[in-house]
Amino acid sequence: MAEKRTIDPAVIEILEKAEAEGISTAFDRAETTRPCPIGHDGNCCKHCFMGPCRLTGKTTVGICGATLETIQARNLARSIAAGAAAHSDHGRDMAHTLIAAAIGEAPDYRIKDEKKLRGVAKHLDVETEGRTKEEIAIEVGKKALAEFGRQEGELLYVRRAPPKRQELWRKLGITPRGIDREIVETLHRTHAGTDQDPEHILIHSLRTALGDGWGGSMLSTDISDILFGTPVPVAARSNFGILREDSVNVVVHGHEPTLSEMIVVAAGDPELNEYAKSKGAKGINLVGICCTANEILMRQGIPVIGNFLSQELAIVTGAIDAMVVDIQCVMQGIQAASEHFHTKIITTSPKAMITGATHIEFDEHRALEIAKQIIKAAIDNFPNRKKEKVHIPDVVDHLVAGFSHEYIAYMQGGVYRESFRPLNDAVIQGRIRGGAGVVGCNNPRVPQDDAHIEIVKELIRNDVLVLTTGCNAIACAKQGLLTPEVMDYAGPGLREICQTIGVPPVLHVGSCVDNSRILTILTQMVTEGGLGDDISDLPAVGIAPEWMSEKALSIGTYFVASGVYTIFGIGSPVAGSEEITRMISQGWEEKVGGKLEFEPDWRKIVEKALAHIDAKRAALKLEEYSPTRYTRSTAYFPGDYTSVEEFKQGSYTRSLIS
Ligand code: NFS
Ligand code: SF4
């Protein structure tokens, strides 16, 4: 039973424990709560109290006369706006923290990456000559905040896109004016009785999502790098085996690096470690879940316990003394799960509380003090842990993360000659067939991590370089796909490039806001030359195999608006309308060169992705891709594997070589 719900061996073990102890998890609830078929397909409108109007059977319009297409478009538009809001509000808080740090009001933070600060300043038209880094940072922070509230003109970061793309956006009238403004306008347009032309509604969704990708998210990534350092490769470990029976286990979960970076500092504090010893523990063991984990993994190498669907199960190990959460993707179910154990759930964001949880509100002005208070609460809870209720699966995998776009440029030529030339040349020659951004959530409607892992493996076997973020990155980490050894399973051309540059064929580029790094990488490839003059010319795709969140829809939409063919797994939120399905696929492709599709079968996702990459290669008149051209020896040719275990442990290739 548990095997059908996940491919993660540690999760299987803990699901069995949960079942034996009668603890409900999202996996169980997904079985008992079947999706409402009307809402699932996008056929229900709740935008006013004359309804809700459910358009099924004989009912073809709502009470106000809204058509199915209008209702579908409004629902999708609102989801995209909510996703853009979540990312962007996170970005806004980063800007506030930057200013507070620069004026000395957040003394525990400092400007860690001055080079990045100066680069960002240039993008925001901030003068750097003869100014201190604090002076620059204050203006960068203020300019960033102004981008959220901008009322007119264009977001400054739009200029970071290829010129042809910028022109297209202007021509279509979808250049975002202000990050917040486009989100608010979506809410306004989708209010009952406002915008009732589905195509017109959805065009605005492109604009809203662009405000996220090239605005809120990109600013968030940039400012996080300035404050906490631009990531460089770092080795780390993942999965449940990183928990320790003899130590205070603290999990950070959520999205913002502001608090978790301070928790890293507090967890290393000698006094607190002594205090932990006084309570009978060996020390403090800090681990992460979801994108908070990705943030501190990328920069500090803090181990990651799991992705979205692992959160309740982490508690079921009985070994967590505190789970510290901030915003987004935190299931309310963790509170109920924690009540079976001694685990303390600590909410920290002024924006997000959970009934029953302990709230220790974070304030960046007293960051370290609060982080220490949180760690102390975890230590104080350690003696309450019941040994007999603890079970830690002995599953650990190793990984390398930390591939910022700056590092990807650096690794292709060092400080003096950094560029994208080697990568572009490899694509031109067909050593690398193309690129894929594989990203996004878990969803208990499908086995956890299965589609994530199969898609990534198939892509690298087919010489497609994979950039990963979010919960896909964690899935890859848990299955050992973020290690250089995985090269052995990559196609021969990709393998050769990875060997030469010294990177794995699957590059962890960060959290979900860091999908903005993928936009930058795609732009750098266009700028480098030889692969067309717009992002839509590149042999590249975006894939979200197990999506669930509105943020994923916003990401998918800004990928599309930037010219990328983007495929989502699971199913379609607009399945109820062929016309809307066509509008966001062919319709958007005709306008912006990218399209959004939903395809539940991961094999078909791979087929579509490869076909698209090959079609783009043909359009660029590049060498036709051949899987055998760069094969030197059969020993290196990736063969068929029969199980994840086999692929992971390299038994197939090893047997060929020996
Ligand atoms: Ni992205 Fe990261 Fe995971 Fe999905 Fe949630 S953690 S912001 S939304 S579930 S990938
Ligand atoms: Fe029904 Fe129209 Fe109100 Fe929606 S806006 S609930 S379709 S009456």
Side-chain angles (χ1 to χ4, degrees):
M1 189 62 170
E3 286 83 0
K4 289 205 187 110
R5 296 168 156 192
T6 179
I7 60 159
D8 182 333
V11 173
I12 292 176
E13 247 180 86
I14 296 298
L15 272 174
E16 280 160 3
K17 183 174 190 276
E19 204 172 324
E21 292 173 17
I23 303 165
S24 148
T25 68
F27 292 92
D28 307 312
R29 298 188 294 270
E31 267 159 37
T32 50
T33 310
R34 304 311 303 167
C36 159
I38 303 162
H40 179 272
D41 291 350
N43 296 337
C44 169
C45 179
K46 292 206 315 177
H47 292 192
C48 89
F49 210 59
M50 293 190 281
C53 298
R54 309 187 306 164
L55 268 54
T56 52
K58 284 195 212 125
T59 316
T60 53
V61 291
I63 296 187
C64 66
T67 62
L68 177 65
E69 287 69 36
T70 298
I71 289 172
Q72 293 261 348
R74 288 197 300 217
N75 287 339
L76 180 61
R78 282 211 169 180
S79 287
I80 292 166
H87 282 147
S88 299
D89 210 33
H90 166 179
R92 182 197 332 270
D93 282 347
M94 300 308 303
H96 280 299
T97 306
L98 179 67
I99 295 172
I103 60 178
E105 282 185 2
D108 302 320
Y109 297 103
R110 59 193 181 87
I111 292 149
K112 208 164 176 187
D113 192 337
E114 196 178 335
K115 185 175 170 209
K116 179 105 186 195
L117 171 68
R118 288 179 183 275
V120 170
K122 218 180 255 162
H123 290 307
L124 292 173
D125 295 334
V126 171
E127 184 57 61
T128 54
E129 212 54 43
R131 301 177 87 183
T132 66
K133 61 180 180 184
E134 286 75 20
E135 285 166 346
I136 300 169
I138 293 167
E139 205 184 328
V140 163
K142 285 187 178 160
K143 279 259 175 138
L145 286 178
E147 293 298 276
F148 292 93
R150 178 185 277 283
Q151 298 301 317
E152 274 152 19
E154 298 181 347
L155 289 186
L156 294 172
Y157 271 12
V158 160
R159 297 174 305 189
R160 294 174 66 167
K164 199 170 162 194
R165 183 79 359 207
Q166 295 176 39
E167 275 318 306
L168 179 65
W169 291 339
R170 284 184 196 114
K171 201 182 98 210
L172 293 169
I174 59 169
T175 308
R177 295 157 296 188
I179 298 163
D180 295 351
R181 179 172 179 184
E182 308 310 351
I183 295 167
V184 169
E185 191 171 314
T186 298
L187 293 180
H188 179 189
R189 284 190 190 214
T190 55
H191 184 277
T194 311
D195 196 354
Q196 283 149 152
D197 179 78
E199 193 167 358
H200 192 241
I201 293 167
L202 289 172
I203 275 286
H204 185 70
S205 289
L206 295 173
R207 195 177 206 178
T208 307
L210 284 172
D212 173 2
W214 297 86
S217 281
M218 202 173 271
L219 283 164
S220 182
T221 298
D222 279 351
I223 299 173
S224 301
D225 284 353
I226 292 170
L227 283 169
F228 308 120
T230 302
V232 295
V234 55
R237 295 168 309 139
S238 70
N239 219 332
F240 281 64
I242 59 177
L243 292 173
R244 296 184 55 160
E245 255 176 76
D246 59 5
S247 300
V248 178
N249 291 308
V250 181
V251 183
V252 283
H253 172 23
H255 283 77
E256 288 176 337
T258 334
L259 167 66
S260 49
E261 282 280 342
M262 272 310 126
I263 299 236
V264 175
V265 178
D269 182 75
E271 258 174 51
L272 281 170
N273 277 276
E274 275 313 308
Y275 185 61
K277 281 181 192 144
S278 77
K279 298 277 176 184
K282 261 207 168 138
I284 302 160
N285 183 36
L286 181 64
V287 303
I289 286 188
C290 285
C291 281
T292 280
N294 282 323
E295 297 278 358
I296 52 176
L297 165 68
M298 291 284 284
R299 299 191 179 88
Q300 313 277 1
I302 300 296
V304 43
I305 184 167
N307 44 7
F308 180 66
L309 275 179
S310 296
Q311 57 185 297
E312 291 170 306
L313 301 172
I315 293 164
V316 179
T317 61
I320 310 290
D321 302 299
M323 184 177 273
V324 186
V325 303
D326 51 40
I327 45 159
Q328 301 170 18
C329 303
V330 177
M331 286 191 197
Q332 190 168 357
I334 58 172
Q335 178 57 30
S338 77
E339 286 162 13
H340 292 265
F341 301 92
H342 75 300
T343 306
K344 235 188 172 74
I345 305 293
I346 303 176
T347 53
T348 58
S349 167
K351 293 173 199 164
M353 295 177 90
I354 299 175
T355 310
T358 307
H359 189 70
I360 303 181
E361 196 155 301
F362 184 66
D363 172 1
E364 72 259 30
H365 301 98
R366 299 185 296 120
L368 188 56
E369 182 194 324
I370 295 165
K372 283 183 177 173
Q373 191 189 338
I374 289 169
I375 293 286
K376 185 170 175 293
I379 298 170
D380 286 333
N381 198 26
F382 176 77
N384 299 327
R385 197 194 290 174
K386 298 215 167 47
K387 255 202 161 110
E388 66 281 5
K389 290 186 96 171
V390 173
H391 174 73
I392 300 175
D394 185 19
V395 180
V396 178
D397 233 308
H398 293 265
L399 66 120
V400 181
F403 293 94
S404 55
H405 52 266
E406 286 87 348
Y407 186 81
I408 295 176
Y410 166 79
M411 77 194 187
Q412 299 180 69
V415 178
Y416 299 107
R417 290 191 306 154
E418 60 177 35
S419 76
F420 269 72
R421 198 68 254 158
L423 208 56
N424 277 30
D425 283 343
V427 174
I428 290 165
Q429 296 149 356
R431 281 191 161 79
I432 292 179
R433 189 171 183 171
V438 192
V439 309
C441 327
N442 284 143
N443 186 324
R445 300 283 175 211
V446 297
Q448 181 193 19
D449 297 345
D450 185 35
H452 276 313
I453 296 303
E454 293 303 332
I455 287 171
V456 170
K457 284 194 302 192
E458 283 308 310
L459 290 174
I460 63 172
R461 265 159 50 90
N462 281 285
D463 291 293
V464 175
L465 178 69
V466 173
L467 304 174
T468 175
T469 63
C471 288
N472 177 275
I474 300 175
C476 290
K478 291 190 294 178
Q479 299 292 337
L481 291 183
L482 301 183
T483 53
E485 295 84 72
V486 168
M487 276 180 212
D488 290 345
Y489 304 94
L494 175 61
R495 180 176 198 279
E496 189 187 322
I497 299 299
C498 289
Q499 263 179 342
T500 317
I501 306 181
V503 292
V506 186
L507 300 176
H508 188 342
V509 301
S511 65
C512 289
V513 292
D514 293 336
N515 281 311
S516 62
R517 293 193 206 275
I518 298 180
L519 296 178
T520 305
I521 290 165
L522 296 174
T523 305
Q524 280 168 311
M525 291 183 77
V526 170
T527 311
E528 187 64 50
L531 293 172
D533 50 13
D534 196 353
I535 293 172
S536 54
D537 295 331
L538 296 171
V541 292
I543 303 174
E546 301 177 21
W547 77 282
M548 64 89 198
S549 97
E550 293 174 311
K551 290 180 287 173
L553 287 174
S554 179
I555 295 165
T557 307
Y558 73 64
F559 267 42
V560 169
S562 303
V564 183
Y565 174 29
T566 304
I567 317 168
F568 277 48
I570 308 280
S572 166
V574 293
S577 165
E578 274 173 33
E579 194 177 330
I580 298 298
T581 302
R582 195 205 54 79
M583 222 173 258
I584 61 174
S585 50
Q586 289 105 297
W588 276 355
E589 190 174 38
E590 283 155 22
K591 288 190 169 71
V592 290
K595 58 180 168 177
L596 187 58
E597 280 182 2
F598 296 87
E599 170 54 65
D601 181 348
W602 68 258
R603 288 170 193 83
K604 290 203 183 122
I605 293 180
V606 173
E607 275 168 30
K608 282 167 179 254
L610 294 176
H612 176 80
I613 285 171
D614 290 344
K616 289 292 173 187
R617 295 187 63 85
L620 285 167
K621 302 198 171 46
L622 303 180
E623 287 269 353
E624 200 179 322
Y625 166 78
S626 147
T628 49
R629 180 176 312 133
Y630 296 105
T631 307
R632 287 222 203 94
S633 139
T634 51
Y636 296 137
F637 192 72
D640 289 312
Y641 43 83
T642 55
S643 71
V644 173
E645 222 35 51
E646 191 173 273
F647 187 134
K648 220 169 95 182
Q649 292 173 357
S651 53
Y652 183 77
T653 300
R654 266 206 294 276
S655 69
L656 272 178
I657 292 171
S658 59

